[in-house]
Amino acid sequence: MKSESNRKVLLIVPSRIMVRGIEGVFSDLGEFKVEGILSDISRTSEARLKNIDADIIIIDPVVFDYATRQSGRSKISEYSDAAVVALQTVTMEDDSWKQYDEVINIYDAPADIIRKLRSALSSHQESPATDSHELSSREKEILICVAKGMLNKEIADLYNISIYTVITHRKNITRKTGIKTVAGLTVYALLNNLIDSSSVE
Amino acid sequence: MKSESNRKVLLIVPSRIMVRGIEGVFSDLGEFKVEGILSDISRTSEARLKNIDADIIIIDPVVFDYATRQSGRSKISEYSDAAVVALQTVTMEDDSWKQYDEVINIYDAPADIIRKLRSALSSHQESPATDSHELSSREKEILICVAKGMLNKEIADLYNISIYTVITHRKNITRKTGIKTVAGLTVYALLNNLIDSSSVE
DNA sequence: GGCATTTTCCCTATTTGTTGGGATTGCTGG
DNA sequence: CCAGCAATCCCAACAAATAGGGAAAATGCC
């Protein structure tokens, strides 16, 4: 994973602010370069999409959600061979992030963005459909509560389960992530977009 | 409301992408210019906020929502005399947009953004401000350690003080900030630039 | 020199979390 | 059908943090 200069990026982002923002971040740090910009995936632009030789596509999930309803395609990977990265503004529900190679949050620091783009490139080459998200859905729920500062008792009451179960989940979370402290898990949850800064007190 | 060239804008936006995006849009269209950037309204940066002579403040509502819980302020106008414009990513609930002179959406076209900023300049008022109790330097050191996930014993050893002293400091930190959980203190430390995400895990 | 604040130290009791076992049920893929 | 995993529950022993008091130096400001 050496830093080849100027990997080509296609933006499918309707927000002018975000387009200029990504261009700005790229120009600050180099390595990546915007080669094309689309504001949607309409039929007219779909042909152009195929012709752009991009290493990475950064797409606003809002665009894609709309496109799936229009075209009937269910996976973003059906559009292109490039690594596909979501540019997340709102927290994505369910598991819709799984179809992307990575998910960039607009609050991510530039260094994190570059890291995720690199990660997207390498994971895309290795395996077309990797997961790497090891926590079960229940464990993620518990993790969110922990990161919010809730007590085991409170979590148990919230989900109507025994406090022993909560403790067991926490043991598994600690084992899987390798993170032992609440502080670390909070940052983990923040970085993985499981929670928002404003939801902690 | 004459269109003086280069009205000064202060950004209180934690997202690097959005900061660069706004700078890019401004550089495309002129008239407005970014004079300062803050990533939060922490107690440490609050003094700087007072000293920046901005015509308009563009703020991420997420930042402000968090700040109100920390400081107890209820209106954004208590922070400054400048016109205050929200930069909206998520749809705002209830009537919280009412406290702003205008609300920019990230999907707004550049022309609409400029129009809204002009509108905000011509319609706003002012208010006084108040104080806050700072953490002492020692308390900040302890807080950083706590946010990094260190144990009281480890902190005590690091500074060659008794564990009782560490506990006392933590009690005072909790009292001053009103934040009782490690998760909350971690976010507090992150938002106040006392620590970096990378220093936790 | 007073006065406020910071920094330091100490104690007991209680609450909360962690560690390291074990166990049952139900579902799923090979 | 069986192995594996997720989710649930339980216990005991131990570690760590919190909640309450109190107090004594050191610092710095008026």
Side-chain angles (χ1 to χ4, degrees), chain B residues 136 138 161-162 164-165 168-169:
Chain B
S136 72
R138 192 56 143 181
I161 57 179
S162 161
Y164 296 111
T165 309
T168 301
H169 284 310

Side-chain angles (χ1 to χ4, degrees), chain B residues 6-80:
Chain B
N6 283 7
R7 308 302 287 261
K8 288 176 232 165
V9 177
L10 169 65
L11 301 183
I12 310 181
V13 175
S15 162
R16 187 74 195 149
I17 289 181
M18 290 201 279
V19 167
R20 293 299 265 114
I22 292 167
E23 287 176 339
V25 169
F26 284 176
S27 93
D28 289 344
L29 295 180
E31 185 169 340
F32 295 94
K33 187 169 186 346
V34 175
E35 284 288 316
I37 301 167
L38 296 176
S39 59
D40 57 77
I41 331 184
S42 65
R43 289 184 176 81
T44 50
S45 63
E46 203 167 311
R48 289 173 55 199
L49 201 158
K50 293 282 179 198
N51 290 334
I52 295 177
D53 177 31
D55 300 304
I56 297 187
I57 294 176
I58 297 180
I59 186 169
D60 186 330
V62 171
V63 170
F64 180 64
D65 289 348
Y66 185 78
T68 50
R69 271 194 292 280
Q70 298 300 312
S71 68
R73 280 179 179 73
S74 59
K75 296 194 65 176
I76 185 66
S77 55
E78 293 177 34
Y79 281 97
S80 168

Side-chain angles (χ1 to χ4, degrees), chain B residues 1-199:
Chain B
M1 65 167 193
K2 46 192 159 181
S3 62
E4 295 264 334
S5 57
N6 283 7
R7 308 302 287 261
K8 288 176 232 165
V9 177
L10 169 65
L11 301 183
I12 310 181
V13 175
S15 162
R16 187 74 195 149
I17 289 181
M18 290 201 279
V19 167
R20 293 299 265 114
I22 292 167
E23 287 176 339
V25 169
F26 284 176
S27 93
D28 289 344
L29 295 180
E31 185 169 340
F32 295 94
K33 187 169 186 346
V34 175
E35 284 288 316
I37 301 167
L38 296 176
S39 59
D40 57 77
I41 331 184
S42 65
R43 289 184 176 81
T44 50
S45 63
E46 203 167 311
R48 289 173 55 199
L49 201 158
K50 293 282 179 198
N51 290 334
I52 295 177
D53 177 31
D55 300 304
I56 297 187
I57 294 176
I58 297 180
I59 186 169
D60 186 330
V62 171
V63 170
F64 180 64
D65 289 348
Y66 185 78
T68 50
R69 271 194 292 280
Q70 298 300 312
S71 68
R73 280 179 179 73
S74 59
K75 296 194 65 176
I76 185 66
S77 55
E78 293 177 34
Y79 281 97
S80 168
D81 294 338
V84 179
V85 177
L87 181 61
Q88 173 183 272
T89 55
V90 195
T91 306
M92 277 187 264
E93 290 138 30
D94 42 69
D95 295 333
S96 59
W97 55 268
K98 282 185 177 173
Q99 65 189 311
Y100 303 101
D101 294 303
E102 267 290 354
V103 177
I104 293 175
N105 190 284
I106 52 167
Y107 293 104
D108 282 344
D112 291 326
I113 294 171
I114 300 301
R115 185 180 47 74
K116 286 184 179 178
L117 289 178
R118 287 189 192 131
S119 153
L121 274 176
S122 57
S123 65
H124 82 94
Q125 67 274 9
E126 51 171 280
S127 255
T130 47
D131 66 319
S132 63
H133 37 57
E134 288 258 356
L135 295 181
S136 72
S137 57
R138 192 56 143 181
E139 284 160 354
K140 265 183 260 188
E141 288 177 324
I142 305 292
L143 170 59
I144 289 168
C145 293
V146 172
K148 284 180 180 173
M150 292 174 69
L151 300 179
N152 288 336
K153 179 68 169 59
E154 293 173 333
I155 302 172
D157 289 344
L158 176 63
Y159 294 113
N160 291 310
I161 57 179
S162 161
I163 194 174
Y164 296 111
T165 309
V166 176
I167 291 172
T168 301
H169 284 310
R170 290 188 68 160
K171 278 190 277 196
N172 290 329
I173 292 169
T174 304
R175 180 177 46 77
K176 286 184 179 177
T177 64
I179 303 171
K180 297 179 137 185
T181 67
V182 175
L185 290 172
T186 303
V187 174
Y188 178 90
L190 283 169
L191 291 179
N192 288 273
N193 298 315
L194 295 175
I195 60 166
D196 185 87
S197 305
S198 59
S199 62

